[in-house]
Amino acid sequence: QVQLVDSGGGLVQAGGSLRLSCAASGFTFTSYTMGWFRQAPGKEREFVAAISSSGGTTRYADSVKGRFTISRDNAENTVYLQMNSLEPEDTAVYYCAAKLRGRDDYNYWGQGTQVTVSS
């Protein structure tokens, strides 16, 4: 059974940091690109960051470049999102997702973890 379990969200003041984790199981983790997405109230879900199956390539939304870092531990089947210099605009539910290497669509999704940044 495929599972992506997101954790690490919480309430933080502007300028603070959080580290999100996503534990994966039920599929061959090393064959999948992993991504983080977020959805703020009243807004559509948006891409945040992605990391290739080997971890050698990363990609970020312009809004988080220089502040967020995506990483993965293939031995632990876990992907992380280190978020620094958080801003109130980063408030959202964050979801990790997985897509098979070479495919366009993410087909596995976590349940989401709430991040709230106070001003």
Side-chain angles (χ1 to χ4, degrees):
Q1 181 184 358
V2 171
Q3 273 196 311
L4 292 176
V5 179
D6 305 326
S7 62
L11 173 64
V12 64
Q13 286 190 330
S17 298
L18 282 174
R19 189 195 196 201
L20 305 184
S21 299
C22 172
S25 60
F27 62 98
T28 306
F29 187 70
T30 52
S31 295
Y32 282 74
T33 293
M34 299 299 295
W36 285 97
F37 292 76
R38 67 186 182 186
Q39 187 166 20
K43 295 188 177 181
E44 293 190 353
R45 185 171 59 197
E46 64 175 357
F47 168 79
V48 175
I51 187 166
S52 62
S53 55
S54 67
T57 302
T58 57
R59 186 166 63 91
Y60 297 92
D62 287 345
S63 59
V64 306
K65 273 182 189 174
R67 299 188 299 122
F68 291 10
T69 303
I70 189 171
S71 61
R72 66 190 293 161
D73 184 339
N74 283 349
E76 296 293 330
N77 286 6
T78 302
V79 62
Y80 303 98
L81 186 69
Q82 177 67 43
M83 306 185 295
N84 298 329
S85 302
L86 282 161
E87 303 167 353
E89 294 72 24
D90 296 316
T91 295
V93 178
Y94 284 71
Y95 301 87
C96 76
K99 65 171 181 171
L100 193 61
R101 188 174 51 226
R103 299 285 177 88
D104 290 334
D105 296 330
Y106 285 85
N107 47 334
Y108 300 142
W109 291 86
Q111 84 285 1
T113 185
Q114 176 71 48
V115 171
T116 303
V117 184
S118 63
S119 56

